[in-house]
Amino acid sequence: MSITEKNGLKISTTLFNFINSEVLSGTEIKPDTFWDNFEKAVHELAPLNKNLILKREDIQKKLMNGTKEIKVKRLIKRITQSF
């Protein structure tokens, strides 16, 4: 896959060309204007996105631990009921 660098971003060349020729075609938005604003949005939202990813990972760990606890409790209950 080829990569195009624009405004400090590394973008798939296929996506870059699609945005420039298909998405922006027929609009009054110039490709340079689009990529300038997109770069600003990406860099502005990057810290928030990173925090959300960390929060999601924490929630997933808690869910996995909770699921394991439930399975262990069920297993203990079955074992104790058989006595």
Side-chain angles (χ1 to χ4, degrees):
M1 169 171 51
S2 63
I3 300 293
T4 299
E5 291 193 36
K6 181 76 172 170
N7 298 347
L9 299 174
K10 293 180 181 179
I11 308 152
S12 159
T13 300
T14 303
L15 177 62
F16 182 79
N17 292 334
F18 173 73
I19 296 292
N20 290 341
S21 63
E22 301 289 329
V23 174
L24 299 177
S25 177
T27 71
E28 295 181 12
I29 303 169
K30 295 179 182 177
D32 282 340
T33 302
F34 172 83
W35 292 110
D36 288 344
N37 289 325
F38 184 71
E39 177 269 333
K40 288 175 188 171
V42 166
H43 287 100
E44 181 180 321
L45 295 173
L48 175 62
N49 189 48
K50 185 176 181 176
N51 288 335
L52 289 172
I53 290 170
L54 293 173
K55 184 180 266 189
R56 183 194 71 203
E57 289 172 354
D58 184 51
I59 291 169
Q60 285 177 325
K61 285 178 188 175
K62 288 178 182 176
L63 284 172
M64 292 303 294
N65 289 338
T67 301
K68 288 177 186 176
E69 279 184 40
I70 290 170
K71 287 180 181 180
V72 168
K73 287 179 182 178
R74 287 180 182 163
L75 180 61
I76 291 171
K77 186 175 180 180
R78 278 193 232 138
I79 291 171
T80 57
Q81 285 176 345
S82 65
F83 289 108

